[in-house]
């Protein structure tokens, strides 16, 4: 099926009888986050799995460029599953099947550990505990991933393990267009599609089908006008939404759009999830925090949109107030993992986080269960309403499911689907013929309108009529436009298999656009803030609409709706009381009359815009080295060390570096010592690759003496980046001691000395840390202050010299550390005095220190700090007063802070009433 074909060779319509037929127990459609996990789990349980991916599994899906962190890690001891379920219920305005959200809450930590066993690296503190951060005001769920750019590579390595290859067949470049169902009982029995390079028609028989195709990210048109410049992965064109709908499955919440804050003129996230734990935050042009809502939700986006529409706009992600070392840490994440082009974008404008805050805006609309609530309806085992059809990931309607939820539901789907064996009966010829026609009709009229032009027009209508704020009239115009465009889409022309893929995607986008418009018409209320804001129905109506809105394809082929009551909550949420009762069958939605404007009997004609951006000619790319090509081919076979040996010793540094990277992808037995040896390579390119691979694999490498010896030798390498990596891996694998780490405190490079401090914390070497408190670098002294609070038996006395440090950032860090070590009377007095320091960082640290002091004199001092001119100082004071809320004076002070001009201060103060 992988025979090459020229990308410009004209295709002819193949005969349906010549289709390539495949068979499997479990068919997984989509090789991204959920799909790879579903395939692995099903195979581990004995099923023969076929994984179809329209691109290439190695670099497909939303994880292809990596992930900077987990948004919903419910780590024992740091968060409770029930608290998370309640939080998601609130964020989704009560419209939640809590049984599905609870699966993510209860199984997510196990999934984090499973991913870690594969080699995915999550941030940990010096003692190996997960470094969960608090971003939401109500819980600590954010777990950074410092090497998150490698997640997909790690998953692909698991798929290509020898024992998995016996069970999992991967067919890249195969795009399904329809799920096949049994004509009598409607169960899923396979799929039909085509090869996106050769154009051959492909039919699959399966015992069960798992849809894992991602969201519909290519629905609205970005402000830039570029078809593929979307916030979400642009290859996610709603394939699974359309396939599920045409297979008869129920979809739900389709009126609840995904809208995100992003960088102005750059379709990538502003990444507040990354920046907030470092001290960044969202502000208007006056520098005022304005977000009142507690969770990343439609209500937050409504507040965002209102601020953008006011005279307080523009809106920014504020980083310029942070110290150099913090900005550098933020840059190291944002410019590599989340969007590698981000740094280039800012550089092109002459902007720097030290001098320019990041202007933010709002993304185009999309459909996504993982970030809002729209998707294929599933139960707590990822089953859809069609027997033996499953959905997982952003495609499934599990609100705010994010990456960990996608993995969890991929696992659930794979486990449940593995019970079934391949279907051996007859496939419905009518379904096959319809799928065949959908794929190949553009070849019958190659001179028809090109796909980019038609898609641009379709998505322009989405922006014009479907994007919030919504009205019945605009949504009705949208439905009419999408109906008209069905014929235009059917008339698109194509000559190549790649063009056929794009044409099929346009049909999926049109289906999703119609679903979004009709569902938005059917829900006659406003809910989820900006996600479903109806100007003609501005109020939320819990009595009538605290119901899921399910969408199905009726026997006549029309979209029909049902209002389904919310299941009784597993975790009570006082703000919402689901009314229960029977389902309400709503049938087809009624359009608002829009043929005339008022009493006039003719409508003005408008010529639809059909121009598309001119294509950009790709620059010429030099041919790769022949040995590199052979190496890349070899990697697909999961080579052992002997096979990679010649490439690791190649005279060309580029080949050696590629071999080291390949070693990191395959990780055969003996990988650790080999990588450690490459830390001493003559070529910087090779050393950098070895450092990256060791950091990536640190969770799966055995802590063997040979590896430890190699890392110790690397501490003498002149390359500071190598020494830093060696210390980090030695610490993580517990292969060093206080003597070794203490010696690194004499290193000439600050980054290495900071790693030495972290390593000393991991072995609770307080005496050596006290020596490091005299380091000439502020960054090291700040690390020492924080480290002294992180040792297993912290005490306040070693912080004494740092409390008198000449640098305000060090003094602030030392004071804040007292909240972890304890703050006895002597230090409490110093903290109280420090509330008058000229530097706000010191005052903030002092307020934090008083959290661990006795209520007297802490509470009176903190009450005074609520009048501080700096919002971060007031926020620290409120958080410390919450720790003293048993004191009546503290409660009085918190009540007064509920009227603070800063949104964060108000929100935290309000927690005292809970």
């Amino acid at each position: 099926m992988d025979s090459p074909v020229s990308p410009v060779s004209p295709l002819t319509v193949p005969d349906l009888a010549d289709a390539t037929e495949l068979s499997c127990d479990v068919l997984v459609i989509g090789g991204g986050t959920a799909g790879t996990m579903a395939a692995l789990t099903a195979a581990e349980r004995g099923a023969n799995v076929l994984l179809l991916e329209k691109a290439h599994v190695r670099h497909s899906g939303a994880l292809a460029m990596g992930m900077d962190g987990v948004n919903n890690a419910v780590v024992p001891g740091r968060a409770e599953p029930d608290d998370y379920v309640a939080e998601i219920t609130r964020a989704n305005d009560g419209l939640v099947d809590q049984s599905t959200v609870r699966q993510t809450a209860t199984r997510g930590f196990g999934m984090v550990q499973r991913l870690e066993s594969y080699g995915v690296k999550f941030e940990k503190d010096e003692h190996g505990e997960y470094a969960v951060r608090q971003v939401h005001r109500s819980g600590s769920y954010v777990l950074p991933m410092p090497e998150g750019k490698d997640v997909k590579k790690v998953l692909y390595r698991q798929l290509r393990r020898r024992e998995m290859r016996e069970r999992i067949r991967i067919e890249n470049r195969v795009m399904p267009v329809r799920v096949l169902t049994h004509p009598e009982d409607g169960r899923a029995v396979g799929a039909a599609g085509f090869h996106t390079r050769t154009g051959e028609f492909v039919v699959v028989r399966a015992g069960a089908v798992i849809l894992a195709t991602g969201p519909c990210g290519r629905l609205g048109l970005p402000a830039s006008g570029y078809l593929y410049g979307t916030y979400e992965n642009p290859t996610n064109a709603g394939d699974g939404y359309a396939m599920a709908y045409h297979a008869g499955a129920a979809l739900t919440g389709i009126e609840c759009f995904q809208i995100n804050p992003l960088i102005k003129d750059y379709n990538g996230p502003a990444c507040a999830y990354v920046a907030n734990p470092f001290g960044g935050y969202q502000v208007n042009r006056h520098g005022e925090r304005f977000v009142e809502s507690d969770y990343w939700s439609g209500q937050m986006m409504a507040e965002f949109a209102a601020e953008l529409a006011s005279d307080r706009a523009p809106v920014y992600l504020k980083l310029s107030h942070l110290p150099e070392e913090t900005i550098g840490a933020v840059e190291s994440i944002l410019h590599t993992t989340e969007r590698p082009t981000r740094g280039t974008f800012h550089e092109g404008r002459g902007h720097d986080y030290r001098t320019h805050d990041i202007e933010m805006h709002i993304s185009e609309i999309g459909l996504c269960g993982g970030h809002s609530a729209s998707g294929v309806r599933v139960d707590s085992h990822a089953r859809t309403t069609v027997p033996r059809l499953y959905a997982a990931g952003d495609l499934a309607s599990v609100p705010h499911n994010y990456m960990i939820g996608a993995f969890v539901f991929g696992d659930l789907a794979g486990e449940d689907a593995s019970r079934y064996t391949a279907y051996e009966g007859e496939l419905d010829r009518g379904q096959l013929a319809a799928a065949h026609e959908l794929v190949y009709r553009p070849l019958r009229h190659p001179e028809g309108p090109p796909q980019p032009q038609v898609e641009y027009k379709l998505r322009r209508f989405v922006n014009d009529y479907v994007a919030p704020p919504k009205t019945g009239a605009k949504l009705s115009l949208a439905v009419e436009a999408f109906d008209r465009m069905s014929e235009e889409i059917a008339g698109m022309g194509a000559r190549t298999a790649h063009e056929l893929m794009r044409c099929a995607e346009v049909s999926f986008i049109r289906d999703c656009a119609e679903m979004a418009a009709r569902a938005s018409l059917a829900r006659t209320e406003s809910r989820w803030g900006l996600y479903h804001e109806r100007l003609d129905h501005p109020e939320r109506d819990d009595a009538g609409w605290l119901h899921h809105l399910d969408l199905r394809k009726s026997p006549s082929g029309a979209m029909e709706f049902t209002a389904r009551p919310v299941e009784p909550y597993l975790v009570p949420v006082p703000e919402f009381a689901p009314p229960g009762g029977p389902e309400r069958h709503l049938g087809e939605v009624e359009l608002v009359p829009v043929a005339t404007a008022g009493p006039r009997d003719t409508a003005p004609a408008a010529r639809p815009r059909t121009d598309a951006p001119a294509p950009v000619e790709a620059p010429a790319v030099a041919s790769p080295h022949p040995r590199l090509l052979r190496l890349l081919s070899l990697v697909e076979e999961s080579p052992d060390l002997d096979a990679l040996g010649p490439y690791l010793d190649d005279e060309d540094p580029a080949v050696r570096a590629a071999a080291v990277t390949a070693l990191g992808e395959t990780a055969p037995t003996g990988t650790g010592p080999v990588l450690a040896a490459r830390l001493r390579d003559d070529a910087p390119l090779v050393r950098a690759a070895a450092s990256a691979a060791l950091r990536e694999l640190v969770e799966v490498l055995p802590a063997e003496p040979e590896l430890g010896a190699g890392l110790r030798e690397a501490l003498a390498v002149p390359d500071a980046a190598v020494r830093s990596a060696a210390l980090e891996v030695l610490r993580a694998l517990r292969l060093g001691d206080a003597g070794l780490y203490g010696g690194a405190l004499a290193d000439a490079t600050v980054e290495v000395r900071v790693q030495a401090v972290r390593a000393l914390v991991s072995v609770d070497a307080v005496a050596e840390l006290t020596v490091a408190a005299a380091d000439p670098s502020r960054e090291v002294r700040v690390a020492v202050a924080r480290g002294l609070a992180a040792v297993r038996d912290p005490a306040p006395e070693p912080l004494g010299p740092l409390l008198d440090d000449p640098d305000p950032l060090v003094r602030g860090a030392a004071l804040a550390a007292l909240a972890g070590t304890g703050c006895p009377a002597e230090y409490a007095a110093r903290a109280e005095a420090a509330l008058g320091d000229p530097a706000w960082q010191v005052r903030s640290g002092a307020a934090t220190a008083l959290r661990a002091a006795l209520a007297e004199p802490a509470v009176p001092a903190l009450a005074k700090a609520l009048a501080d001119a700096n919002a971060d100082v007031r926020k620290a004071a409120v958080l410390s007063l919450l720790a003293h809320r048993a004191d009546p004076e503290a409660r009085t002070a918190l009540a007064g802070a509920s009227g603070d001009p800063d949104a964060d201060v108000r929100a935290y103060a309000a927690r005292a009433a809970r």
Side-chain angles (χ1 to χ4, degrees):
M1 292 192 56
D2 293 319
S3 55
V5 64
S6 169
V8 295
S9 299
L11 293 177
T12 57
V13 179
D15 195 288
L16 179 57
D18 295 332
T20 297
E21 188 166 311
L22 305 173
S23 178
C24 61
D25 298 331
V26 176
L27 170 61
V28 180
I29 300 176
T33 310
T36 52
M37 187 59 67
L40 288 167
T41 296
E44 288 169 358
R45 294 180 177 272
N48 290 319
V49 179
L50 174 61
L51 176 57
L52 299 184
E53 168 56 53
K54 68 181 179 182
H56 193 293
V57 173
R58 186 174 184 177
H59 44 67
S60 63
L63 282 184
M65 291 310 300
M67 185 64 61
D68 54 35
V70 174
N71 296 347
N72 54 346
V74 184
V75 176
R78 298 300 305 274
E80 294 297 325
D82 284 2
D83 292 340
Y84 177 77
V85 172
E87 195 58 42
I88 297 303
T89 303
R90 294 187 188 97
N92 211 50
D93 280 0
L95 259 180
V96 167
D97 179 353
Q98 287 191 346
S99 69
T100 61
V101 177
R102 205 168 196 283
Q103 287 283 49
T104 299
T106 57
R107 297 168 69 106
F109 180 61
M111 184 56 66
V112 166
Q113 293 179 309
R114 179 175 175 178
L115 292 170
E116 199 169 55
S117 74
Y118 291 166
V120 176
K121 187 177 179 183
F122 299 94
E123 185 170 332
K124 295 183 177 179
D125 63 20
E126 292 81 2
H127 294 287
E129 302 295 331
Y130 294 98
V132 182
R133 307 277 178 84
Q134 181 167 353
V135 173
H136 311 299
R137 299 182 185 119
S138 57
S140 298
Y141 307 117
V142 176
L143 180 56
M145 299 169 65
E147 303 295 328
K149 64 183 183 301
D150 298 315
V151 177
K152 194 64 195 294
K153 182 170 68 175
V154 171
L155 291 173
Y156 188 68
R157 184 169 67 228
Q158 291 300 311
L159 287 171
R160 303 307 293 161
R161 283 166 37 212
R162 295 185 188 280
E163 58 269 34
M164 286 295 101
R165 282 188 291 172
E166 296 174 359
R167 288 285 186 183
I168 301 174
R169 175 176 177 176
I170 298 175
E171 288 292 344
N172 293 306
R173 312 295 180 188
V174 174
M175 177 184 183
V177 297
R178 287 291 185 264
V179 171
L180 301 175
T181 57
H182 195 284
E184 295 177 3
D185 58 20
R187 73 181 188 272
V189 294
F194 68 105
H195 196 287
T196 62
R197 290 295 182 266
T198 66
E200 66 186 295
F201 195 58
V202 180
V203 176
V204 181
R205 296 170 179 273
V209 178
I210 300 174
L211 292 172
T213 57
C216 183
R218 218 162 85 219
L219 184 62
L221 191 66
S224 66
Y226 294 118
L227 293 182
Y228 307 111
T230 53
Y231 178 93
E232 285 288 350
N233 185 339
T235 65
N236 294 331
D239 310 33
Y241 285 77
M243 283 190 280
Y245 171 74
H246 288 291
L251 294 93
T252 193
I254 303 301
E255 69 279 18
C256 180
F257 299 162
Q258 176 188 7
I259 307 170
N260 292 288
L262 76 166
I263 301 172
K264 181 73 166 61
D265 299 329
Y266 174 83
N267 262 57
C271 293
Y273 270 111
V274 175
N276 284 8
F278 285 97
Y281 46 84
Q282 300 77 46
V283 296
N284 58 28
R285 71 182 178 90
H286 301 300
E288 301 162 338
R289 284 187 281 229
F290 60 88
V291 175
E292 300 281 355
S293 58
D294 196 17
Y295 201 86
W296 211 266
S297 62
Q299 182 56 41
M300 176 181 284
M301 293 312 304
E303 296 172 15
F304 214 97
E307 204 73 9
L308 283 174
S310 75
D311 65 351
R312 299 178 298 278
V315 167
Y316 298 89
L317 175 62
K318 186 168 183 61
L319 298 174
S320 59
H321 65 296
L322 298 174
E324 168 60 34
E325 50 267 36
T326 303
I327 290 178
V330 172
E331 285 178 331
S332 70
I333 299 172
L334 296 186
H335 294 180
T336 56
T337 299
E338 182 64 40
R339 292 289 195 281
T341 58
R342 179 180 178 134
T344 305
F345 170 80
H346 292 310
E347 183 180 355
R349 295 197 163 195
H351 289 181
D352 186 289
Y353 297 161
R354 297 152 187 82
T355 57
H356 289 74
D357 291 321
I358 304 163
E359 186 181 355
M360 300 172 69
H361 214 264
I362 287 179
S363 74
E364 70 285 348
I365 67 171
L367 301 178
C368 180
H371 289 80
S372 57
S374 55
V376 179
R377 176 182 164 186
V378 295
D379 66 10
S380 58
H381 295 280
R383 306 173 188 130
T384 74
T385 57
V386 170
R388 302 195 187 188
L389 179 64
Y390 300 80
D394 285 340
L395 167 71
S397 180
V398 183
H400 301 279
N401 213 19
Y402 306 115
M403 182 187 78
I404 287 298
F407 280 129
V408 166
F409 272 80
D411 178 50
L412 290 166
E415 178 181 349
D416 206 71
S418 66
R419 300 178 293 156
Y420 302 110
T421 55
Y423 175 68
E424 297 179 354
E426 287 295 316
L427 296 174
D428 188 282
R429 303 299 295 177
Q431 294 180 40
L432 290 172
H436 187 274
E437 175 62 18
L438 172 64
V439 172
Y440 298 109
R441 64 190 179 189
L443 295 179
R444 305 187 197 283
H445 33 76
E447 301 299 330
Q451 165 263 332
Q453 177 177 314
V454 176
E455 182 177 334
Y456 185 91
K457 178 178 177 179
L458 169 66
R459 292 168 61 191
R460 181 76 261 167
F461 281 140
V462 170
N463 279 23
D464 290 344
Y465 297 133
V466 185
K470 311 172 188 178
T471 68
K474 288 200 299 181
L475 293 167
S476 298
L477 285 168
V479 170
E480 291 188 357
F482 302 147
D483 283 344
R484 286 196 311 271
M485 288 205 69
S486 294
E487 293 186 11
E488 200 167 334
I489 290 169
M492 286 186 297
R495 290 181 170 83
T496 69
H498 182 81
E499 290 173 347
L500 288 179
M501 176 181 70
R502 294 299 187 212
C503 288
E505 287 177 337
V506 176
S507 74
F508 299 150
I509 296 169
R510 197 220 70 85
D511 287 344
C512 290
E514 183 180 353
M515 291 185 221
R518 289 185 183 273
S520 296
L521 265 172
R523 183 176 287 279
T524 51
E525 64 155 358
S526 288
R527 189 174 290 271
W528 306 298
L530 189 63
Y531 295 167
H532 180 67
E533 181 184 357
R534 283 284 299 263
L535 295 178
D536 46 352
H537 296 281
E539 300 300 323
R540 194 177 83 190
D541 177 13
D542 282 352
W545 275 111
L546 192 55
H547 286 69
H548 301 284
L549 183 65
D550 290 355
L551 176 159
R552 284 184 177 85
K553 185 177 183 179
S554 72
S556 67
M559 289 184 188
E560 61 179 17
F561 294 88
T562 299
R564 174 171 51 93
V566 173
E567 290 291 324
Y569 289 158
L570 302 173
V571 179
V573 179
E575 298 95 316
F576 301 99
E583 294 187 354
R584 300 198 312 267
H585 182 69
L586 306 177
E588 297 181 40
V589 70
E590 185 175 343
L591 303 186
V592 174
V594 289
T596 61
R600 305 179 67 174
D601 56 7
T602 57
R607 190 172 78 181
R609 182 178 177 182
T610 59
D611 57 306
V616 179
E617 185 176 347
V621 179
S623 298
H625 195 294
R627 290 198 297 282
L628 283 176
L629 293 176
R630 290 197 296 271
L631 175 60
L632 292 174
S633 177
L634 178 65
V635 171
E636 293 295 322
E637 303 302 320
S638 299
D640 56 20
L641 283 178
D642 289 340
L644 288 171
Y647 299 95
L648 289 165
D649 294 327
D650 195 278
E651 62 181 13
D652 188 334
V655 175
R656 297 201 303 277
V660 167
T661 300
L663 192 60
E665 290 187 16
T666 55
T669 302
T671 291
V674 173
L675 289 175
R678 286 296 151 192
L679 291 175
R680 303 191 299 276
D681 196 281
D682 292 337
L685 184 67
V686 181
R687 296 196 301 271
S691 297
L694 281 165
R695 281 184 160 122
E696 175 196 338
L697 296 173
V698 70
E699 302 296 344
V700 296
L701 292 175
E704 51 193 324
E706 188 179 355
L707 171 57
L711 293 170
R712 287 171 181 263
E713 290 183 41
L715 293 177
V717 172
D719 188 333
V722 167
R723 300 196 302 276
S724 177
L727 278 170
E728 181 178 345
V729 178
L730 282 164
R731 171 183 58 79
L733 295 179
R734 307 293 190 205
L735 289 171
D737 53 32
L740 177 70
Y741 302 146
L745 290 175
D747 197 281
T749 302
V750 170
E751 179 189 357
V752 178
R753 301 202 301 277
V754 169
Q755 285 292 346
V757 168
R758 295 201 67 199
L760 288 167
V761 173
S762 73
V763 293
D764 301 311
V766 174
E768 288 79 0
L769 288 171
T770 304
V771 171
D775 192 278
S777 167
R778 174 181 76 185
E779 188 174 357
V780 175
R781 300 199 305 278
V782 167
V784 170
R786 293 170 178 166
L788 286 170
V791 296
R792 294 197 184 279
D793 189 17
E797 288 77 17
L799 289 166
L802 295 170
L803 293 174
D804 296 320
D805 197 278
D807 190 288
L809 291 186
V810 178
R811 295 201 305 280
L815 285 161
L818 289 171
T821 64
C823 188
E826 175 192 351
Y827 290 93
R830 297 182 69 173
E832 183 179 357
L835 288 173
D837 195 281
W840 71 265
Q841 295 94 336
V842 175
R843 301 198 305 276
S844 177
T848 301
L850 292 173
R851 186 180 312 173
L854 295 174
E856 176 61 44
V859 170
L862 291 168
K864 292 179 182 177
L866 292 177
D868 196 282
N870 184 278
D872 278 335
V873 176
R874 302 199 303 276
K875 176 180 172 181
V878 164
L879 289 171
S880 290
L881 283 167
L882 284 171
H884 295 291
R885 72 178 77 183
D887 186 285
E889 188 178 346
R891 292 198 298 274
T892 300
L894 287 166
S898 62
D900 193 277
D902 183 78
D904 264 11
V905 176
R906 292 196 301 272
Y908 280 112
R911 291 178 60 188
R914 294 186 183 177

